[in-house]
Amino acid sequence: MSIEQDFHRIKRLPPYVFAEVNAMKARARAAGEDIIDFGMGNPDQPTPPHIVEKLIEAARNPRAHRYSMSRGIPGLRKALSGYYQRRFNVDIDPESEAIVTLGSKEGLANLANAITSPGDIVLVPNPSYPIHPYGFIIAGGSCRYVPVTPDAEFLRALDRAVRHSVPKPIALVLNYPSNPTALLADLDFYGQVVEFCRFHKIWVLSDLAYSEIYFDVAPPPSILQIPGAKDIAVEFTSMSKTYNMPGWRIGFAAGNKTLVSALARIKSYLDYGAFTPIQVAASAALNGPQDCVDEIRAMYKDRRDVLIEGLAAAGWDVPSPQATMFAWAPIPPAFAHLGSLEFSKLLMSHAQVAVAPGIGFGEYGDSFVRIGLVENRHRTRQAVRNIKTFLASADTLIESSEKQRAGTDR
């Protein structure tokens, strides 16, 4: 006997766009092809040794093998508070304004569950990282999209959304430096957002996961630097990119006490917190020498320059990102009519290069692909050479692709 069931929350999720590309990548590798993978934002370098050594030291203590605290150990919350004071000159109370999360993604999703009622409306930039809209959609809410560019048009769209949405939006999601677009926001923009959202009583969830991956610009600011921001805003940060710790799953939420408390309450039902030695090692990362952060930043900058300069020489003009570990690349004009998924599939088939289709980040991303700076200089140069050959045969490839699609449609 089989049980057929349409699960309500699963039905609200669209097909996972990246699954098709990932399956294609797996088939190619199984056939022996060397795929250069820029598709996932997965740091390829090891975690700095002093952080690993602290993990090992802490793991040798049997007392650390017990359940941890879902809010995070006090020492790690104090380390986060120290980071905010040093980096942003913002005071964070480690007891009431900070909580440890299992990566920023988990924190965003669980806070969405904590504050969302069925039918609630949330404002989300488009394109954006998938958890930003779908955390709320899974929780039963609905999303209204606003531009991703942090400028006057964003603010005008924000005003229109509030005036014309019924019910009134409960929250706004921000993400600067932005994944996938790599756009940056400044304090003037944050100040206007805080003023607007305080007036309209709208929560702000700011994702600052890429705060330390920046190039040729001033360090990205925090929304919590704005006076009064903590009345409405909570900010998520992460150890994943800053310290090459993606698999460790450690992140934070800091800011508004009500939102932090709501997240703490729902997490108390769902988990016991990260393994204590991981939290001890994360504390050592935040409190210890920061040379490793400078080195990681320099590595991404070097990879960025190799990629962008190489693509330009190959005939693909891609804006140089000022932050994050991604380039947001407009599809070359000859391929633009295909859309990002078909272009990504062609790129993998004929250049052995995997990228993330922009449509996976929202419909307004379909004219772009996201390229992760996750391969070394040698592999990046090889990818550029492959892409140059690929672009040179554009007419033939497009004709072949369109014939294949036409045959499939029949």
Side-chain angles (χ1 to χ4, degrees), residues 77-283:
R77 285 183 275 121
K78 289 177 182 175
L80 175 69
S81 178
Y83 165 75
Y84 262 90
Q85 180 55 238
R86 293 190 307 272
R87 175 70 162 76
F88 304 112
N89 195 29
V90 170
D91 292 325
I92 295 293
D93 179 358
E95 293 302 317
S96 63
E97 296 178 338
I99 184 171
V100 178
T101 62
L102 307 179
S104 58
K105 185 175 182 179
E106 174 267 323
L108 280 156
N110 275 328
L111 184 56
N113 267 309
I115 69 174
T116 307
S117 299
D120 280 346
I121 294 175
V122 177
L123 306 175
V124 183
N126 188 332
S128 67
Y129 186 54
I131 197 62
H132 295 154
Y134 291 115
F136 288 95
I137 289 171
I138 292 169
S142 298
C143 292
R144 178 161 182 163
Y145 296 108
V146 292
V148 69
T149 50
D151 55 16
E153 176 53 31
F154 180 103
L155 297 166
R156 287 192 292 269
L158 192 61
D159 180 62
R160 287 194 301 271
V162 171
R163 285 190 287 111
H164 298 296
S165 294
V166 179
K168 186 181 77 174
I170 65 161
L172 165 68
V173 179
L174 299 177
N175 173 215
Y176 303 104
S178 166
N179 177 11
T181 66
L183 292 169
L184 290 159
D186 59 24
L187 283 175
D188 287 342
F189 172 77
Y190 280 143
Q192 293 178 78
V193 168
V194 168
E195 180 181 10
F196 181 90
C197 290
R198 286 182 71 194
F199 179 81
H200 289 282
K201 297 181 172 57
I202 296 172
W203 298 117
V204 178
L205 282 62
S206 173
D207 184 352
L208 196 64
Y210 295 91
S211 59
E212 303 308 322
I213 309 298
Y214 57 90
F215 327 109
D216 313 320
V217 291
S222 160
I223 195 172
L224 299 181
Q225 291 175 250
I226 302 300
K230 283 198 286 187
D231 293 343
I232 55 162
V234 70
E235 190 159 68
F236 292 89
T237 52
S238 170
M239 308 288 287
S240 297
K241 310 307 188 295
T242 304
Y243 297 97
N244 280 341
M245 296 172 65
W248 299 55
R249 307 314 301 137
I250 284 289
F252 310 94
N256 179 266
K257 294 180 181 181
T258 300
L259 293 178
V260 168
S261 177
L263 180 54
R265 182 166 172 78
I266 202 164
K267 280 175 63 65
S268 70
Y269 283 91
L270 296 175
D271 71 64
Y272 288 105
F275 186 39
T276 297
I278 292 177
Q279 297 193 58
V280 172
S283 303

Side-chain angles (χ1 to χ4, degrees), residues 44 215 300 303-304 307 321 324-327 371-375:
D44 63 316
F215 327 109
Y300 283 126
R303 291 180 178 185
R304 178 203 66 171
L307 175 71
T324 76
M325 56 188 293
F326 305 110
I371 306 175
L373 306 176
V374 292
E375 294 277 7

Side-chain angles (χ1 to χ4, degrees), residues 279-298:
Q279 297 193 58
V280 172
S283 303
L286 288 171
N287 292 332
Q290 300 300 299
D291 301 10
C292 58
V293 179
D294 296 334
E295 292 167 5
I296 290 167
R297 186 184 303 121

